[in-house]
Amino acid sequence: MTTSAPKARRSRVKAEAAVESAAQAVAETVVADKPEAPAPKAVKAEPVPNLPARLAEVLLTDTPEKLAAEEAFVSLDRLVHAQFGKLGSSISPISMALAWGDWAAHLAISPGKQAELVWKSARKAQRLAAEILCQAAGGNGDVCVQPLKQDRRFAGPEWLKYPFSLYSQSFLLTQQWWHNATSDVHGVEEKHEKVVEFYGRQFLDMFSPSNFLPTNPHLIQRTAEEGGRNLARGAQFFYEDTMKRMTGQPEDPPEFTPGHEVAATPGKVVFRNRLIELIQYAPTTPAVHAVPLLIVPAWIMKYYILDLTPPESMIKWLVDQGFSVFCISWKNPDEEDRELGFDDYRELGVMAAIDAISAITGSEKVHGLGYCLGGTLLSVTAAAMARDGDDRLASMTMLAAQVDFTEAGELSLFTNESQLSLLEDMMWEEGYLDKEAMAGTFSMLKSQDLVWSKLVREYMLGERESPSSLGAWSHDATRMPYKMHSEYLRKLFLNNDLADGRMTAGDGHIYLQDIKAPVFAVATEHDHIAPWNSVFKLTYLLHGGVTFALVSGGHNTGIVAPPGSPRAKHRIMTHEPGRNHPAPEDWAKSVPKVQGSWWEPWADWLRATGGAVAGPDKAPPAMGNADAGYKPLQNAPGRYVMTR
């Protein structure tokens, strides 16, 4: 990430101020502690009485001067660490060094593992040589190794022909050998082993034959067909992108603008505070479901992932199905919001929204829907409400949301003490974590698709990515406030406080087991952020009834899968209290997939759950409630979604 000039100047000024403050504080401390010089005497000076006690008092007493000096020293360290974080793309070099050192040291004292790797290397080389000789002689040969199902880099018959089969097969065999080298090394910590395997895979992906013109048959064919014009276009795209990054030029105007092409479902902002805008959507049916629905998106994303262009807009679909829909739009925080913490997001966010919905609709119950970390926040809020005797939640819908983070996928590789301390120092300097840092981390998790394939397509094939509403949303990233980001990373990803019963909300502890509202949980099969096995733990940790749906697709594509999607499939399990829990893999194998979107069975579940507590449908509520202090402020999508 390229640091802009204003940020660089700000960092330099802060560093100089910290050094000056530390020096001044030390000077004042020395002067304050220095005893007055005795007047010159002709006779020999007497020893200072109780000298050890005086030294102890000077060294151990927390005077204001010493406390200022210590704070200045810490500030200087944090500024230096923040610069290291910027240079290293928010990755802790110490964390990586510890992982590689652990792996290398244990491999060095494991002659058996070394011999096994040599043996496997020889076998792979022998198999590859036999295949290439067969193809060189005019035969078809046998494929040594098949790419993983999700690896589409070597799709097509061209990769099975010599010499491209040599390139692809040797790369895949090397990738397979590296996995063997980083797995099952006796004595290596499991997390260190995964870190080494992950970064090793990232390094190997750089040298995939699909990334280079002479070794990629598709690139060679396209270049021949176009006479090299594709490379000229790619060079022009590369120049344009480089100049934008170097000069800080703004991105091109988006083709999908909130309020026009996306986030366009009609509605009103009926409540605003320093953290959220609450949007109430205009009804389109003569009667609505008796219980209103509150959507809590993750604060690391703009809410309109659920309000894309129809028919992909879940919000529009819900409104047309007769639901009274409300949605939180989080403010994109800046430096002034650095002290907003997790409890602020609960109180100023979810609880403030529930209060507003109750006042506007007059309903005693509210359906809650949380997406990703918004679902985690909703579960914390629900547990706190259960503790306090607040039973306004009629149900909870959890979309790709985790409450136990012990198996949080490859994202957990970025959560250890060294890494979190580095991120905290970066956020401490600016007051927030810049959106580019988060975007870079998520890109690394799917580097084949989000980095290398993208570079090949744009700079070698000369093709810009086709604009889409989901793609525009993914580039509309948000920042993370200092205190909030630090708290949720430590409490959830690092310490797993929520699942282990150590989480606090307000004035006391909360427990997931106290939640009695029925839950509909959705997980996606190919989720690289919230693995479905991890989401499945909801069925163990919540003591109420849980309906679990495993759907096709990834973290976003599986959720945004409206009725009519040709590739949408799902399978559903209902777990009632008192029944035994199945293992996730056993359950998945025993239940066949059903063609179609999960939206429709979920809507039926909402109607049944809400109807059981609030009765039949009723007339739509008014937009806002001025008498209760919730006067409509402006048309949706509001102000906060527009901030970048």
Side-chain angles (χ1 to χ4, degrees):
M1 181 182 68
T2 303
T3 305
S4 64
K7 284 188 177 181
R9 285 195 296 270
R10 238 179 4 251
S11 299
R12 186 171 63 253
V13 170
K14 286 185 177 182
E16 292 173 352
V19 173
E20 182 178 352
S21 177
Q24 180 66 22
V26 171
E28 292 176 356
T29 303
V30 171
V31 171
D33 291 340
K34 184 178 179 180
E36 294 184 3
K41 294 183 179 179
V43 296
K44 183 178 180 181
E46 294 293 332
V48 178
N50 299 322
L51 180 59
R54 171 58 181 159
L55 289 175
E57 179 183 358
V58 169
L59 294 174
L60 300 179
T61 302
D62 286 334
T63 62
E65 293 83 3
K66 287 186 176 178
L67 293 177
E70 291 172 358
E71 184 177 350
F73 293 145
V74 172
S75 298
L76 179 59
D77 287 346
R78 302 193 81 169
L79 285 168
V80 172
H81 298 167
Q83 303 314 308
F84 272 107
K86 292 176 181 179
L87 291 174
S89 301
S90 306
I91 302 299
S92 169
I94 297 176
S95 176
M96 290 184 60
L98 290 173
W100 285 92
D102 185 12
W103 169 78
H106 283 89
L107 182 61
I109 60 171
S110 302
K113 182 68 175 180
Q114 296 174 27
E116 177 190 4
L117 293 175
V118 172
W119 173 65
K120 287 188 174 182
S121 178
R123 284 188 58 196
K124 295 179 189 302
Q126 184 180 19
R127 289 167 55 196
L128 181 62
E131 177 192 349
I132 299 306
L133 287 174
C134 180
Q135 290 188 356
N140 293 325
D142 296 322
V143 176
C144 296
V145 57
Q146 292 285 355
L148 298 175
K149 184 178 180 180
Q150 66 271 21
D151 189 351
R152 299 182 293 272
R153 291 174 294 183
F154 308 114
E158 298 87 352
W159 286 104
L160 299 179
K161 299 178 181 178
Y162 184 84
F164 304 109
S165 60
L166 170 63
Y167 307 147
S168 61
Q169 290 292 292
S170 59
F171 174 80
L172 291 172
L173 287 171
T174 301
Q175 192 177 56
Q176 189 182 76
W177 180 90
W178 177 253
H179 176 75
N180 295 332
T182 56
S183 303
D184 301 323
V185 180
H186 192 63
V188 179
E189 286 191 21
E190 181 181 5
K191 194 163 188 176
H192 287 168
E193 184 176 276
K194 291 180 178 179
V195 168
V196 172
E197 196 277 333
F198 175 82
Y199 282 107
R201 178 160 32 94
Q202 300 295 316
F203 181 77
L204 284 176
D205 284 345
M206 292 172 57
F207 298 99
S208 169
S210 60
N211 296 340
F212 303 97
L213 176 61
T215 55
N216 187 325
H218 299 302
L219 290 177
I220 294 175
Q221 181 180 0
R222 174 65 68 85
T223 303
E225 291 173 350
E226 295 196 28
R229 290 188 296 274
N230 57 310
L231 299 179
R233 289 195 306 273
Q236 178 65 27
F237 294 156
F238 178 78
Y239 173 77
E240 293 172 357
D241 294 344
T242 301
M243 293 305 297
K244 286 180 181 178
R245 286 191 292 268
M246 291 180 63
T247 61
Q249 295 178 13
E251 296 290 334
D252 296 331
E255 297 189 35
F256 294 88
T257 304
H260 296 275
E261 294 79 15
V262 293
T265 303
K268 298 285 186 180
V269 175
V270 293
F271 173 70
R272 177 186 296 127
N273 61 24
R274 65 171 298 191
L275 187 56
I276 72 166
E277 288 181 329
L278 181 65
I279 301 172
Q280 179 183 3
Y281 291 94
T284 59
T285 55
V288 296
H289 181 61
V291 180
L293 171 67
L294 169 63
I295 296 176
V296 184
W299 55 90
I300 64 173
M301 61 172 70
K302 297 293 182 71
Y303 82 88
Y304 66 88
I305 177 65
L306 298 179
D307 192 17
L308 300 174
T309 53
E312 294 179 318
S313 171
M314 176 184 286
I315 290 175
K316 179 70 167 65
W317 184 83
L318 285 167
V319 171
D320 291 342
Q321 296 297 308
F323 289 93
S324 293
V325 181
F326 294 77
C327 184
I328 288 175
S329 175
W330 298 105
K331 177 187 176 184
N332 197 5
D334 53 31
E335 189 170 0
E336 295 179 354
D337 302 311
R338 61 182 300 128
E339 293 303 322
L340 286 173
F342 199 94
D343 233 29
D344 294 312
Y345 274 69
R346 179 183 66 87
E347 293 179 351
L348 297 176
V350 184
M351 290 305 300
I354 292 176
D355 292 340
I357 293 171
S358 298
I360 291 171
T361 65
S363 176
E364 296 180 356
K365 296 286 185 177
V366 177
H367 290 304
L369 179 154
Y371 188 4
C372 189
L373 286 171
T376 308
L377 178 61
L378 178 63
S379 68
V380 171
T381 305
M385 293 173 69
R387 177 199 63 195
D388 299 336
D390 187 342
D391 62 351
R392 284 180 291 173
L393 277 180
S395 74
M396 291 170 53
T397 298
M398 306 280 280
L399 305 183
Q402 302 173 90
V403 295
D404 185 306
F405 291 82
T406 52
E407 296 179 299
E410 290 185 333
L411 194 60
S412 62
L413 301 180
F414 299 91
T415 51
N416 52 59
E417 185 61 44
S418 176
Q419 182 63 54
L420 294 193
S421 296
L422 184 73
L423 289 177
E424 286 172 343
D425 290 341
M426 293 176 66
M427 293 186 294
W428 171 86
E429 182 192 14
E430 299 292 343
Y432 55 83
L433 184 65
D434 199 68
K435 58 186 180 181
E436 280 80 7
M438 292 293 297
T441 298
F442 287 121
S443 294
M444 287 182 65
L445 298 179
K446 294 189 69 177
S447 61
Q448 289 182 15
D449 297 329
L450 300 180
V451 179
W452 304 115
S453 295
K454 184 175 184 293
L455 294 180
V456 169
R457 182 178 63 252
E458 293 195 353
Y459 301 149
M460 295 187 184
L461 290 176
E463 299 174 354
R464 285 294 197 189
E465 184 178 5
S466 299
S468 67
S469 57
L470 186 59
W473 166 85
S474 67
H475 287 93
D476 194 4
T478 60
R479 297 178 288 271
M480 302 293 106
Y482 165 62
K483 185 176 180 181
M484 170 56 161
H485 200 53
S486 175
E487 285 183 345
Y488 99 78
L489 286 177
R490 287 192 174 278
K491 292 181 178 181
L492 299 176
F493 277 91
L494 187 62
N495 298 327
N496 204 33
D497 286 346
L498 180 57
D500 292 346
R502 294 185 298 271
M503 193 81 174
T504 59
D507 297 327
H509 283 77
I510 58 169
Y511 301 95
L512 292 170
Q513 293 79 2
D514 293 338
I515 299 174
K516 298 300 186 290
V519 174
F520 193 102
V522 181
T524 62
E525 291 181 336
H526 306 296
D527 199 325
H528 63 291
I529 296 174
W532 81 265
N533 294 61
S534 182
V535 177
F536 191 84
K537 293 182 180 181
L538 280 162
T539 63
Y540 308 150
L541 294 169
L542 300 179
H543 286 188
V546 179
T547 300
F548 180 83
L550 179 60
V551 305
S552 57
H555 187 74
N556 297 320
T557 57
I559 300 301
V560 185
S565 299
R567 293 184 293 180
K569 297 179 181 179
H570 67 272
R571 43 194 146 184
I572 295 178
M573 175 192 80
T574 299
H575 183 269
E576 299 295 340
R579 292 172 53 185
N580 291 337
H581 295 86
E585 294 82 4
D586 295 340
W587 168 78
K589 292 178 182 178
S590 65
V591 179
K593 296 181 180 180
V594 177
Q595 187 72 36
S597 171
W598 62 271
W599 289 14
E600 293 169 315
W602 168 60
D604 294 338
W605 180 88
L606 278 179
R607 292 190 186 95
T609 303
V613 298
D617 292 355
K618 60 182 183 180
M623 298 296 288
N625 186 340
D627 294 338
Y630 296 101
K631 179 182 178 180
L633 302 176
Q634 67 179 98
N635 291 331
R639 179 195 307 167
Y640 286 170
V641 76
M642 307 304 293
T643 57
R644 292 178 177 266

